[in-house]
Amino acid sequence: MTTRIAVVDDETIVCSRLSRALGKDGATVEAFTEGGTFLARHAEVPFDLVFLDVNLPDGDGIAHIPAIKAASPATEVIVVTGYGSIESAIAAVKAGAFHYVQKPVKLAEVRHLARSALERAALRRENRELREALREADGEKPIIGSAPAIRRVFAMIDKVAPVDCNVLLLGASGTGKELVARAIHRQSGRSERPFVSFNCGGFSEELISSELFGYEKGAFTGAGATKIGLLEAAAGGTVFLDEIGEMPLAMQVRLLRAIQERRILRVGGVTPIDLDIRIVAATNKDLKHEAAVGAFREDLFFRLNVVTIHLPRLDERREDIAPLAMHFLSKYGAAFRKAVTAIDPEAMAILANYSYPGNVRELENIIERGVALADGDTLRVRDLPSDLRQLSFDSMEGEGLASLEDMERRYIAKVLERTGYNKGLASKILDIPRTTLWRKIKQYGLE
């Protein structure tokens, strides 16, 4: 991929000289004499490197660095000015600049700085790609969706992740609470430390105690060696406690003490162990009500409920059903080594109108089953569970009989609405070329 460099300077002669010099190394160079024009272009197609003048006709160049980084965090910035000072150099570096040079610039120095900045950008990119590859290898999954309800969750994640406080996730089973917990950890200052998950439901008090707090050798019959608990193992990282509402009251007392004192004792131990962890808890229960009736400790509830994030049910974000279905189709097509790349329009209509009591997890299971059963490259109605297949023509009852053309117009309109007028996705769902979809949209007046 060709390297893209921007030169932003109010002097056209400087723009011309730098552009020629930087272009000798094979980069594509664009010059701008105003910051606003450059920022608009950078937002469209980000540059890899920017040579930025301090004094621009429309403002201070250093003040543009946050906007440059916001549009493309990987972009490196080299500040250029004819009025150098220690104060402005410090301001540029604090704002995120890679380097700071004074006019008149030496072209050999400029080319050397450009190579150094681009090498650092490439190294950062490689590190980021490696981290992403490792996360995928560890089974990390993306949160998919663009509906208003899930966008509010994204906004809350962005706000709370950098703040080192406990978080309580509320949502029905299958809404993706662990995905949200992992996203909070990934965007936090603890991202390089462990993420530890534990389900509090269905276990005895003794088992929860040994798993969370660990035990010393000989603490009880069968304790042949010291075991480090999950709270201790997560040192510096995040502990995700799923189904926290199911934790026995006696264990709630012990967890509360650990949170308050930031230290624990292993079972059978006498030496306190300091804790440095963040807790993200999740439940499908109303913990405030549970605390009111004595089923959950109120003081623990307040400790966990510093920030609450409510996760929407899938039927509250129906416009995300189609993108999620296509994501799972791709996932299980690769997992099962089957070239299933499309969903029949009638099957997608059934999926779009189903209630999903099991939420996203149920949709994933439906698509996994469908891909396993599919014969060709398309998941069809016959590949869906029998209770969903009954929705096929039953859902059309009461609509009256309409012409084939009218049914086609109404169905295309429904698919466009469900996909947020994403024509690429709509054409895949309808299993027609994009050119045909464009022609149908014009024919039926669906622009």
Side-chain angles (χ1 to χ4, degrees), residues 348-382:
M348 182 59 81
I350 294 172
L351 294 171
N353 288 284
Y354 181 54
S355 60
Y356 295 100
N359 295 293
V360 178
R361 187 181 297 135
E362 183 177 9
L363 173 60
E364 180 174 4
N365 290 341
I366 289 170
I367 299 299
E368 180 181 9
R369 174 190 188 277
V371 172
L373 296 177
D375 294 324
D377 62 357
T378 301
L379 190 151
R380 303 189 182 279
V381 174
R382 64 173 179 264

Side-chain angles (χ1 to χ4, degrees), residues 216-440:
E216 298 287 354
K217 179 180 179 180
F220 51 82
T221 303
T226 297
K227 173 184 171 63
I228 295 176
L230 295 179
L231 297 180
E232 185 180 349
T238 302
V239 176
F240 174 57
L241 298 176
D242 199 7
E243 296 189 36
I244 188 69
E246 304 296 333
M247 180 176 279
L249 283 169
M251 286 307 304
Q252 292 178 31
V253 174
R254 193 167 178 192
L255 177 62
L256 174 64
R257 186 180 302 117
I259 295 173
Q260 289 175 333
E261 298 177 359
R262 290 191 165 274
R263 58 177 52 190
I264 61 170
L265 279 175
R266 296 180 190 143
V267 176
V270 294
T271 305
I273 299 165
D274 291 335
L275 284 184
D276 174 22
I277 59 172
R278 179 187 201 172
I279 293 180
V280 179
T283 182
N284 57 12
K285 291 186 174 183
D286 181 350
L287 288 191
K288 190 172 183 179
H289 172 74
E290 295 290 301
V293 299
F296 196 85
R297 289 191 64 93
E298 187 176 46
D299 43 9
L300 178 58
F301 169 65
F302 289 130
R303 284 286 183 177
L304 298 173
N305 190 38
V306 178
V307 175
T308 301
I309 300 178
H310 294 267
L311 276 64
R313 301 180 62 87
L314 185 53
D315 61 6
E316 296 174 320
R317 43 182 290 222
R318 287 194 167 274
E319 52 264 69
D320 291 336
I321 292 174
L324 283 165
M326 296 305 295
H327 167 74
F328 294 137
L329 190 78
S330 175
K331 172 183 175 179
Y332 289 107
F336 299 156
R337 298 183 180 181
K338 299 183 71 173
V340 185
T341 58
I343 298 177
D344 178 78
E346 187 180 347
M348 182 59 81
I350 294 172
L351 294 171
N353 288 284
Y354 181 54
S355 60
Y356 295 100
N359 295 293
V360 178
R361 187 181 297 135
E362 183 177 9
L363 173 60
E364 180 174 4
N365 290 341
I366 289 170
I367 299 299
E368 180 181 9
R369 174 190 188 277
V371 172
L373 296 177
D375 294 324
D377 62 357
T378 301
L379 190 151
R380 303 189 182 279
V381 174
R382 64 173 179 264
D383 303 317
L384 299 177
S386 59
D387 54 337
L388 264 72
R389 291 200 299 270
Q390 293 175 2
L391 298 174
S392 179
F393 289 102
D394 293 349
S395 60
M396 298 174 61
E397 289 183 3
E399 294 184 0
L401 297 177
S403 68
L404 183 61
E405 183 177 279
D406 187 49
M407 290 297 294
E408 182 181 59
R409 179 190 62 78
R410 288 158 61 185
Y411 184 68
I412 292 175
K414 179 180 287 189
V415 171
L416 288 169
E417 181 182 355
R418 294 289 191 194
T419 59
Y421 281 77
N422 182 325
K423 297 178 181 63
L425 179 57
S427 65
K428 286 183 180 180
I429 295 170
L430 293 166
D431 197 22
I432 59 176
R434 289 189 65 162
T435 52
T436 302
L437 177 59
W438 277 104
R439 190 168 61 253
K440 295 289 185 181

Side-chain angles (χ1 to χ4, degrees), residues 8 34-36 38-39 52-68 77 79-81 83 87-89 91-92 95 100:
V8 189
E34 293 183 345
F38 155 70
L39 288 175
L52 181 65
D53 191 15
V54 170
N55 295 299
L56 296 172
D58 53 353
D60 178 10
I62 294 176
H64 292 321
I65 295 178
I68 295 171
V77 179
V79 172
V80 183
T81 182
Y83 309 95
E87 291 77 12
S88 56
Y100 180 96

